């Protein structure tokens, strides 16, 4: 079909209020909004001010009321436990209402925070929906994060209650979550009153008397809870994400704008129809899991597949295609790293051919830059459109991509296609003006941002301004750099800050540096993200030892690696910690991380004019070569 993209995009910018008010009609509101966009307190904008609704009602009860109670809402497929379970909309509504009752019985009122630290089990999605049902604000913490990360989130969100499980399963390894949770609570200053713990048969959790409650027993005792009406501008959740320091940012998501935007994306971006089946191969701990395992698909009446497994190894690289065949999945959304892993294990696509994939019409990729060869391989092997799209935890949904539901535009490998309706995307130079087509600059969004984007940071309005709005007045700085070509196609190339993307996981090298610097023998350090064929990027540490240290270098390196895993989590494992004599710096003392990255990645670099001592770069190059990590050395 001819694409309606141009016309719809233009309208969304010319008349944003009219455009999004129309989109909001697709949902059930308890009270209509007074103002589509409240712009009375810039730079803080609020969508659907005065409106009231309930996100859980719109995801579940609404479909039951409309006669779709027997439609499957959620499929839990867990090769690691050999389990497949189906929940219809009616069943999921009942389960969520019971859990909401149990949460309420712990004294949780609307606006109270509940922390969720869970593996990929259906109870994790139920926990999020149950909080939404009673107006509690959930904060999901990714299961791969260590106790210290958990503690910093507990201290910031101050949850009265924690919902957790005894363990997660990583391929063939059982990871006991409860000791991690106990340690997190022991180290946090703020103490949650209770923890409701789901006992899984793979590992039994020790319960703390008086604080911990058994999930099954607590749910069985409580009366089901109804949906409460909340303001469209009330927070639905806080999701912490990596910034430039060890102090993560609490991204706030509202109820109204979020519901409208996600519902819109299912139809107009992902091109889905109610009743179809969608799978986001992510984790509920990431924004992709929030938006596209739980809220988006259910809001729109789809069947969502919650997969507890990995794209490879559970049992092999054919698992996605087995899932497509078994559950008649119509579209998959996953990170490019998953595809690189699949391609590595099944280069000829033999496993792809083994399964019936007739239902699968589109593959969506996001979470990190997708290298063109991976897209080309997926297109060739799957023979369906492969759509790259770009967004962030802050936006909550796609900012630039190819709107399949509006009629697909031709794909250009390496580009995420065009800005999506609602997002006024600019590429700015350091002077804050738009650069010419083809020129690299900072990607920024003109304010106000589209509905569903983070209106602020949790209890940190000023940090929101400092982090995103100060650099280019009137714009939100995405911290990504890239360019727009002559045809209006957007190319997202790199981050402009300390954030790196490791196997689709967003991590802060600044946070890692804080951990490395805490080692008693380390005088100074730098952590950079270097290119990795499978994971996109991996962190690499450089350490300078304190003068007079007696500990052998290899011991310090090993201890530093272990410290990062212990303090941040296994997902942040450093590729190596190289002991160097000095770090390359500018004369003003700024560490030249970008130059070190260029050396490791084999990219041309210019000798920085302000470098303190150029010889240090040769030393760094030597260390990288010795470790087999310098791909090429530029002059
Ligand atoms: N709980 C506990 N530990 C976890 C975890 C979790 N939820 N998720 C990952 N880990 C651990 C892993 O077990 C691994 O530990 P190890 O170093 O002791 O082996 C470590 O963290 C690194 O995990 P990961 O980055 O996932 O690498 P991997 O080599 O295990 O798997 C891929 C590689 C590509 C298969 C995997 O990264 C993947 O599926 N990526 C998809 C990305 C994704 O879903 N991104 C979400 C945003 S869209
Ligand atoms: P997260 O907040 O974890 O979703 O990470 C967001 C960051 O991941 C973005 O700011 C980008 O740096 C990167 N990213 C996400 N999707 C893409 C994409 N399709 N292309 C390039 N980079 C991407």
């Amino acid at each position: 079909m001819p694409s309606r993209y141009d016309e719809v995009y233009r309208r969304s910018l010319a008349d944003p209020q009219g455009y999004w008010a129309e989109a909001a009609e697709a949902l059930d509101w308890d009270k209509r909004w007074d103002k589509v966009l409240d712009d009375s307190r810039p730079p803080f904008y609020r969508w659907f001010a005065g409106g009231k609704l309930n996100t859980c009602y719109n995801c579940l009860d609404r479909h039951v009321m409309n006669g779709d109670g027997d439609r499957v809402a959620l499929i839990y497929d867990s090769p690691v436990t050999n389990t497949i379970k189906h929940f219809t909309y009616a069943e999921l509504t009942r389960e969520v209402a019971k859990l909401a009752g149990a949460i309420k019985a712990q004294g949780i009122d609307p606006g109270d925070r509940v922390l969720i630290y869970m593996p990929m089990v259906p109870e994790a999605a139920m926990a999020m929906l149950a909080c939404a049902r009673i107006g509690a604000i959930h904060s999901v913490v990714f299961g791969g994060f260590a106790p210290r990360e958990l503690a910093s989130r507990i201290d910031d969100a101050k949850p009265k209650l924690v919902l957790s499980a005894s363990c997660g399963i990583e391929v063939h390894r059982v990871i006991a979550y409860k000791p991690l949770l106990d340690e997190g609570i022991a180290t946090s200053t703020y103490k949650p009153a209770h923890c409701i713990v789901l006992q899984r048969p793979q590992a039994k959790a020790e319960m703390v008397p008086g604080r911990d409650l058994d999930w099954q027993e607590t749910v069985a005792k409580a009366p089901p809870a109804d949906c409460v009406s909340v303001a469209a501008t009330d927070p639905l959740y806080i999701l912490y994400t990596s910034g430039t320091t060890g102090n993560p940012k609490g991204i706030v998501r509202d109820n109204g704008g979020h519901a409208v935007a996600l519902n819109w994306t299912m139809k107009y971006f992902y091109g889905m129809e109610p009743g179809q089946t969608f799978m986001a191969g992510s984790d509920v701990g990431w924004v992709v899991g929030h938006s596209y395992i739980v809220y988006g698909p259910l809001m729109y009446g789809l069947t969502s597949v919650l997969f507890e497994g990995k794209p490879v190894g559970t049992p092999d690289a054919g698992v996605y295609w087995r899932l497509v065949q078994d559950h008649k999945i119509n579209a998959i959304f996953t990170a490019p790293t998953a595809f690189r892993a699949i391609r590595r294990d099944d280069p000829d696509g033999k496993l792809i051919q083994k399964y019936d994939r007739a239902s699968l019409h589109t593959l969506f990729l996001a979470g990190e830059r997708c290298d063109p060869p991976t897209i080309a391989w997926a297109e060739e092997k799957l023979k369906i459109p492969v759509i790259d799209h770009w967004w962030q935890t802050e936006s909550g949904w796609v900012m630039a991509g190819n709107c399949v539901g509006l009629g697909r535009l031709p794909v250009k490998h390496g580009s995420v296609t065009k800005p999506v309706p609602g997002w006024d995307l600019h590429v700015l130079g350091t002077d804050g003006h738009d650069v010419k087509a083809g020129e690299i600059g900072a990607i920024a969004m003109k304010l106000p941002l589209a509905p569903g984007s983070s209106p602020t940071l949790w209890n940190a309005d000023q940090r929101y301004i400092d982090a995103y709005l100060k650099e280019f007045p009137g714009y939100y700085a995405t911290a990504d750099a890239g360019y727009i070509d002559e045809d209006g196609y957007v190319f997202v190339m790199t981050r402009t800050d300390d954030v790196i993307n490791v196997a689709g996981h967003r991590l802060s090298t600044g946070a890692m540096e804080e951990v490395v610097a805490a080692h008693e023998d380390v005088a100074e350090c730098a952590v950079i993200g270097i290119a990795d064929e499978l994971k996109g990027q991996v962190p690499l540490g450089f350490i300078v030892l304190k003068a007079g240290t007696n500990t052998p270098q290899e011991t310090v390196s090993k201890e530093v690696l272990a410290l990062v895993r212990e303090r941040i989590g296994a997902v942040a494992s450093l590729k190596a910690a190289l002991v160097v004599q000095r770090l390359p710096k500018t004369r003003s003392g700024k560490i030249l991380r970008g130059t070190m990255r260029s050396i490791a990645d084999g990219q041309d670099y210019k000798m920085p004019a302000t470098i303190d001592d150029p010889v240090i770069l040769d030393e760094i190059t030597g260390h990288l070569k010795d470790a087999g990590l310098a791909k090429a050395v530029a002059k």
Side-chain angles (χ1 to χ4, degrees), residues 142-144 170 173 177 281-282 286 310-311 503-505 535 565 570-571:
F142 174 57
E170 277 294 294
R173 198 156 44 105
Y177 274 33
S282 180
W286 303 116
K310 298 255 176 180
H505 310 312
K535 298 193 175 188
R565 281 177 73 92
V571 284

Side-chain angles (χ1 to χ4, degrees), residues 241 286-288 336 365-370 388-394 399-400 416 478-480 492-495 499 501 504-507:
T241 191
W286 303 116
V287 70
V288 176
L365 298 175
E368 56 178 317
R369 181 172 164 74
C370 188
D388 187 7
H389 61 315
W390 167 72
W391 51 295
Q392 321 178 295
T393 308
E394 289 84 344
M399 297 187 287
V416 292
T478 64
D480 278 308
V492 182
M493 305 307 291
T494 183
R495 288 286 296 197
V499 166
N501 226 305
H505 310 312
R506 174 167 159 179
L507 301 167

Side-chain angles (χ1 to χ4, degrees), residues 490-532:
V490 179
F491 290 74
V492 182
M493 305 307 291
T494 183
R495 288 286 296 197
T496 57
D497 59 7
D498 298 340
V499 166
I500 58 169
N501 226 305
V502 182
H505 310 312
R506 174 167 159 179
L507 301 167
S508 159
T509 52
M512 294 178 209
E513 286 182 3
E514 284 176 26
V515 171
V516 177
H519 188 284
E520 57 179 7
D521 294 317
V522 171
E524 221 186 349
C525 69
V527 176
I528 58 170
I530 62 167
D532 181 82

